Amino acid sequence: MPRIIIVSNRLPVTIDRKQGELIYYPSAGGLATGLSSLDQSFERLWIGWPGQVVENDTDRATIVRQFRRDGMIPVFLSQQLIEDFYEGFSNKTIWPHFHYFTQYTSYNDRYWEAYSEVNRMFADMVARVVAPDDMVWVHDYQLMLVPGMLRDRFPELSIGFFLHIPFPSYELFRTLPWREEILAGLLGADQLGFHTFGYMRHFLSSVYRITGVEHNFGKLIVQNRMVNVDVFPMGIDYEKYAFPDNQDVISEEVRFMQDYSKRMKLILSIDRLDYSKGIPERIRAYELFLRRHPQYHGKVSLFLVVVPSRSNVDQYQDLKVEIDTMVGRINGEFGTFYWTPLRYYYRSFPFHNLVALYQASHIALITPLRDGMNLVAKEYVASKQDGRLGVLILSEMAGAAHELTESLIINPHDANQFEQALVRAIEMPEEEQLRSLGDMQKKLRRYDVKHWANNFIRQQMDMKRFQQDRQTKLLSDSSRQTLLESYRASNSRLLLLDYDGTLVGFKNEPSEAYPDEELLEVLRTLKKQEGTMPVIVSGRDRYTLEAWFGDLEIDMVSEHGVWLWSDRKWKLNEGVIASWKPAVMPILENLVERTPGSFIEEKDFTLAWHYRRIDNELGANRVREIRDELIYLTANHNLQVLEGNKVVEIRNAGINKGKAATRWLYRKNWDFIMAIGDDHTDEDTFQALPEQAFSIKVGLMRSTAKYKVRSVEEARDLLSALSKSR
Ligand code: GDG
């Protein structure tokens, strides 16, 4: 039976001790609900920290046994590791940094070591239980190294990762001393998910700038493995908030508040104590509102719920003092014997009371300075059933703002806009409130947490299948054997060999990619074999090819087929002209003027603009810029514009490697033909081959070739085997 192994910092349970006895309560958070709705044919296993330090071996054994029954496996952490890994690196380094609070980022090697150690412990636990067909789904910023650690040990394992907090812009991410390690950890996954397109974009840009790996529509090739990066906005358990059961368990206190809401416009604010949530900014905006609008005094009240969190971290203690002081000041200044403008609760509420608060409040103020998604905003909207009214004022800095577009969206730093939104919310006509709520509810119902979890898992499964499909073309040991035998058994053999990216790897400077002695020796040996004809089919200029291979006396194609070299002479292909060059050259020169690091390569009948040493995005923008101009010119001169790997080439139409290859293909009745190449210009060669030929693509990208090899090394290895097989 296929299994999903969830790996998250916390298990969905709370452990407690009553009269010395260990007890635990399952806590159904959003993630647990989403997962429980997955196709029942999946078995589930959850690995995580149980939320308590447990030192005693007997207690540990009891917990392991009890948890096992519910499909959970605890990872026990010592007090020191919790301080350094959880409170330290996770909450004093990654959390502030990824939420743009770099002034709070702690750069501490001990924290980093603990972070690596705990990630290793989680990866070890997965390794102990995982089976080859399992899918692993790792969650959040505390465990970013786990995918990479698992990949090192299980090259074929299906691994997903979801980040619940923002991924910061490259400019911020780059300042972390551990940036390479973090990216390497994350890129161990087959699929990476983010709440918004913005976070995904930041991630892809960081990957490109730091590791040099480029993406194509969110797909990356990392060490010959394809990785899918996509947006999966997390939803809520809609039914649970829209139609809560057991409403009679609501406390007296909340009942009082429900009555209160009949006399007063209630404004609800609810968050964990966290500087990212913008609580002081919110209170300040409320103060401004009270100051500017005395007409609302006695008619509104802000219920400020702050849920205790991370109280061991200094900044959280400071924040608490700041909030306490502000609340005291406002109530002292504006409050009357009959009216408290701000009611402040520093604690959490049981679920049913929370929903009752959502239902009763007229306005919700959800205005974080940064927030990955923010589920409270979604829960508030969902709770407004049966004609209940409500207005959501939502920060544009929360991931949820991308979906809840019918709310009043504000910039939490702009106190004036904030204050105006409050007035608008108080005065908003009922029909408008109902319309906005209805529109948002439709989206929340459809894209709920079950949809989120199913969608992530389904795409992860598709990704695995896709990777396997690509692997099916890989030259297996037995196909390689067949190829070698067929080579040995034949008398006339044609080898069409691309050069750059096939026989040698790419270099920043094209002239540095010269052939090494080992390669020259293989080519020499092949050439000497009776009946073997190696031909180099390249896009390079003829002077370079002649200088490098002229002495070997092997045939060559240069400039993708403009020149053909046989019997120590170059022959020009018919119909090519160079009279168009003066018209195109100034366009490319202008580009070089404006783009330091790019350069023009002039061949006899081709002009190429190379941008491999400059920022890829800038290069791509420049290409877009000149495309129109070039298309106009090329139509008049019968030219073609080809966009290659960080190069744009302009040359005569009708010239390509496939056409050039036919000159050799039909020269003889070959009984063995093999073509090998790495980029799309080689596809023309592959397509020109007869059915029985062996076509081989270097790399895993899509190709019409019959077989693929993973790398230049594998391609050379094959060629070397051919050279030794006769
Ligand atoms: C991270 C990201 C992202 C809150 N107070 C009480 C209470 N809650 C529940 C809410 C909600 C959850 O806690 C809070 O979720 P958020 O999404 O708002 O925020 P984080 O905990 O910071 O979560 C965040 C999320 O991951 C998911 O990916 O949205 O951006 O920071 O469900 O209902 N529940 C109860 N009493 C309370 O007093 N019972």
Side-chain angles (χ1 to χ4, degrees):
M1 176 143 89
R3 247 191 347 181
I4 299 182
I5 303 182
I6 306 298
V7 190
S8 65
N9 177 48
R10 283 291 303 271
L11 282 172
V13 288
T14 314
I15 297 196
D16 208 354
R17 227 177 251 279
K18 271 209 177 123
Q19 290 141 3
E21 284 273 309
L22 275 172
I23 46 168
Y24 73 92
Y25 316 94
S27 53
L31 190 55
T33 315
L35 295 167
S36 66
S37 70
L38 285 173
D39 186 340
Q40 287 308 315
S41 61
F42 283 110
E43 194 190 329
R44 273 172 291 265
L45 207 54
W46 198 317
I47 295 177
W49 180 53
Q52 285 272 334
V53 177
V54 184
E55 298 287 9
N56 180 303
D57 284 345
T58 328
D59 287 349
R60 285 189 176 191
T62 314
I63 294 175
V64 169
R65 220 177 25 251
Q66 290 189 345
F67 279 21
R68 188 71 213 197
R69 280 197 302 245
D70 292 327
M72 293 186 292
I73 302 181
V75 176
F76 295 107
L77 302 176
S78 67
Q79 187 57 40
Q80 189 62 50
L81 281 178
I82 288 165
E83 279 167 28
D84 292 348
F85 148 75
Y86 182 63
E87 288 162 9
F89 199 79
S90 302
N91 288 342
K92 289 187 191 161
T93 305
I94 297 298
W95 179 273
H97 208 79
F98 280 34
H99 285 88
Y100 293 73
F101 283 84
T102 46
Q103 70 275 33
Y104 295 155
T105 308
S106 161
Y107 298 88
N108 182 326
D109 282 332
R110 199 182 74 235
Y111 290 170
W112 165 251
E113 277 151 27
Y115 185 79
S116 312
E117 187 183 337
V118 172
N119 274 251
R120 169 80 52 211
M121 289 165 74
F122 275 77
D124 286 347
M125 190 55 92
V126 177
R128 275 168 56 183
V129 297
V130 76
D133 288 337
D134 288 347
M135 292 174 73
V136 178
W137 190 7
V138 184
H139 287 265
D140 225 2
Y141 66 104
Q142 302 93 348
L143 300 175
M144 292 190 285
L145 308 182
V146 171
M149 290 172 169
L150 286 174
R151 180 63 62 210
D152 289 345
R153 292 157 77 168
F154 304 100
E156 305 297 328
L157 183 63
S158 171
I159 307 172
F161 180 90
F162 188 81
L163 186 71
H164 290 260
I165 65 172
F167 194 93
S169 110
Y170 161 69
E171 288 302 335
L172 237 73
F173 183 73
R174 70 190 300 196
T175 60
L176 275 182
W178 310 277
R179 58 199 183 178
E180 277 97 356
E181 288 89 337
I182 292 173
L183 290 184
L186 291 170
L187 290 172
D190 298 301
Q191 173 163 286
L192 288 144
F194 298 90
H195 280 307
T196 74
F197 180 61
Y199 310 153
M200 164 177 162
R201 214 163 39 81
H202 291 156
F203 172 74
L204 290 171
S205 152
S206 298
V207 169
Y208 169 62
R209 280 153 214 278
I210 293 168
T211 71
V213 175
E214 287 172 54
H215 76 101
N216 188 14
F217 295 106
K219 305 271 189 302
L220 302 158
I221 304 280
V222 181
Q223 289 167 349
N224 279 317
R225 191 170 38 84
M226 187 170 274
V227 176
N228 181 36
V229 182
D230 208 345
V231 181
F232 301 89
M234 187 173 175
I236 56 164
D237 183 354
Y238 186 82
E239 303 294 312
K240 183 173 152 192
Y241 290 91
F243 312 107
D245 49 12
N246 270 340
Q247 276 297 66
D248 43 320
V249 295
I250 293 169
S251 70
E252 270 304 303
E253 179 186 47
V254 174
R255 282 192 201 288
F256 166 79
M257 187 275 303
Q258 286 175 329
D259 284 344
Y260 191 68
S261 75
K262 294 185 185 126
R263 288 176 275 130
M264 193 80 60
K265 284 266 179 198
L266 277 197
I267 306 171
L268 178 67
S269 153
I270 175 162
D271 328 76
R272 265 188 318 101
L273 178 71
D274 201 294
Y275 44 78
S276 66
K277 302 289 182 183
I279 303 171
E281 287 75 7
R282 192 176 311 157
I283 302 176
R284 226 167 276 133
Y286 183 60
E287 184 179 0
L288 183 70
F289 160 81
L290 291 177
R291 207 172 291 293
R292 288 195 182 155
H293 302 281
Q295 72 274 26
Y296 292 122
H297 290 194
K299 298 190 179 116
V300 298
S301 189
L302 173 60
F303 269 55
L304 183 70
V305 179
V306 177
V307 179
S309 161
R310 303 180 193 173
S311 46
N312 291 344
V313 180
D314 292 349
Q315 287 104 24
Y316 289 72
Q317 291 163 5
D318 296 347
L319 179 64
K320 166 83 172 35
V321 173
E322 188 182 358
I323 296 170
D324 292 354
T325 314
M326 291 176 90
V327 171
R329 195 185 63 231
I330 290 175
N331 279 338
E333 181 178 341
F334 296 97
T336 65
F337 282 5
Y338 313 104
W339 175 58
T340 311
L342 207 162
R343 289 171 170 262
Y344 170 42
Y345 309 96
Y346 180 60
R347 61 188 142 102
S348 69
F349 286 86
F351 169 74
H352 286 101
N353 289 350
L354 177 77
V355 178
L357 274 173
Y358 287 158
Q359 289 175 341
S361 44
H362 300 102
I363 296 166
L365 272 188
I366 316 270
T367 57
L369 302 181
R370 274 303 149 174
D371 211 335
M373 171 54 76
N374 196 302
L375 300 178
V376 172
K378 293 186 169 182
E379 293 163 5
Y380 175 74
V381 171
S383 77
K384 296 293 179 186
Q385 301 296 327
D386 308 322
R388 285 195 189 89
L389 296 171
V391 182
L392 172 63
I393 299 183
L394 181 61
S395 160
E396 65 186 54
M397 309 295 174
H402 292 269
E403 291 167 86
L404 302 178
T405 43
E406 293 79 5
S407 58
L408 295 184
I409 295 188
I410 57 134
N411 172 357
H413 297 281
D414 185 344
N416 290 315
Q417 191 193 27
F418 207 136
E419 169 258 309
Q420 285 155 19
L422 266 172
V423 175
R424 230 191 112 191
I426 294 170
E427 301 297 340
M428 190 181 281
E430 290 191 2
E431 319 78 76
E432 193 180 339
Q433 296 187 34
L434 290 173
R435 200 176 336 111
S436 310
L437 287 169
D439 287 351
M440 292 191 280
Q441 284 165 350
K442 245 182 252 151
K443 292 186 248 186
L444 293 177
R445 194 178 309 128
R446 171 152 184 213
Y447 298 101
D448 65 357
V449 69
K450 297 170 198 134
H451 177 275
W452 171 78
N454 279 301
N455 196 22
F456 189 95
I457 292 292
R458 209 196 49 224
Q459 281 206 41
Q460 189 176 332
M461 284 163 68
D462 288 351
M463 191 62 207
K464 198 77 224 164
R465 243 174 267 131
F466 185 69
Q467 287 172 344
Q468 281 161 350
D469 280 354
R470 288 191 166 223
Q471 309 256 344
T472 54
K473 278 197 166 183
L474 272 182
L475 187 68
S476 62
D477 284 348
S478 71
S479 315
R480 186 184 151 108
Q481 214 43 50
T482 313
L483 184 148
L484 288 173
E485 272 159 24
S486 156
Y487 188 83
R488 258 181 237 121
S490 53
N491 296 316
S492 58
R493 296 169 294 273
L494 177 64
L495 303 175
L496 300 166
L497 311 171
D498 169 48
Y499 181 69
D500 291 275
T502 300
L503 302 182
V504 293
F506 284 105
K507 296 275 165 27
N508 266 346
E509 193 61 61
S511 62
E512 285 167 12
Y514 49 80
D516 49 285
E517 194 38 50
E518 185 190 272
L519 174 64
L520 291 173
E521 190 48 39
V522 169
L523 293 172
R524 243 178 249 130
T525 316
L526 287 169
K527 169 72 188 165
K528 274 194 219 133
Q529 286 174 357
E530 172 135 14
T532 303
M533 174 166 268
V535 183
I536 291 193
V537 185
S538 169
R540 289 230 176 211
D541 70 83
R542 60 185 173 130
Y543 307 102
T544 308
L545 290 182
E546 189 176 334
W548 287 349
F549 303 106
D551 290 345
L552 300 188
E553 301 200 3
I554 57 176
D555 287 5
M556 294 189 278
V557 170
S558 89
E559 288 191 42
H560 298 96
V562 170
W563 294 99
L564 314 169
W565 168 267
S566 277
D567 306 324
R568 304 192 64 83
K569 295 192 294 289
W570 287 110
K571 234 180 81 195
L572 187 61
N573 208 334
E574 299 95 49
V576 287
I577 49 167
S579 54
W580 51 271
K581 273 164 118 189
V584 172
M585 192 56 125
I587 300 174
L588 300 188
E589 276 168 349
N590 178 275
L591 270 191
V592 173
E593 270 313 293
R594 293 161 49 223
T595 322
S598 71
F599 62 93
I600 299 168
E601 183 189 3
E602 180 169 2
K603 306 180 218 181
D604 292 339
F605 294 89
T606 309
L607 287 178
W609 180 66
H610 290 267
Y611 58 95
R612 66 183 49 190
R613 281 183 311 209
I614 67 165
D615 186 289
N616 188 39
E617 275 172 40
L618 175 62
N621 278 344
R622 292 284 195 249
V623 172
R624 230 170 284 144
E625 222 178 275
I626 58 163
R627 202 183 285 145
D628 284 350
E629 221 172 334
L630 285 178
I631 283 172
Y632 170 74
L633 275 174
T634 50
N636 287 336
H637 290 91
N638 197 23
L639 300 171
Q640 53 182 332
V641 180
L642 284 163
E643 288 179 37
N645 188 2
K646 299 198 179 163
V647 60
V648 186
E649 302 210 32
I650 299 115
R651 61 166 182 258
N652 292 267
I655 296 287
N656 69 51
K657 286 183 176 179
K659 276 203 177 155
T662 51
R663 307 263 179 147
W664 282 269
L665 283 169
Y666 297 110
R667 191 176 285 186
K668 243 191 191 175
N669 211 356
W670 307 101
D671 43 26
F672 177 96
I673 300 173
M674 182 185 98
I676 183 160
D678 73 304
D679 76 11
H680 62 266
T681 62
D682 301 306
E683 296 294 318
D684 292 326
T685 314
F686 298 151
Q687 278 160 23
L689 300 180
E691 181 52 34
Q692 72 280 11
F694 292 91
S695 48
I696 302 178
K697 162 95 175 169
V698 181
L700 294 177
M701 299 306 277
R702 189 181 296 195
S703 171
T704 53
K706 270 191 200 151
Y707 301 103
K708 291 177 184 174
V709 291
R710 285 198 170 89
S711 59
V712 169
E713 289 67 38
E714 277 187 39
R716 287 174 59 137
D717 194 57
L718 178 67
L719 218 55
S720 161
L722 294 181
S723 76
K724 289 176 193 145
S725 71
R726 289 189 60 93

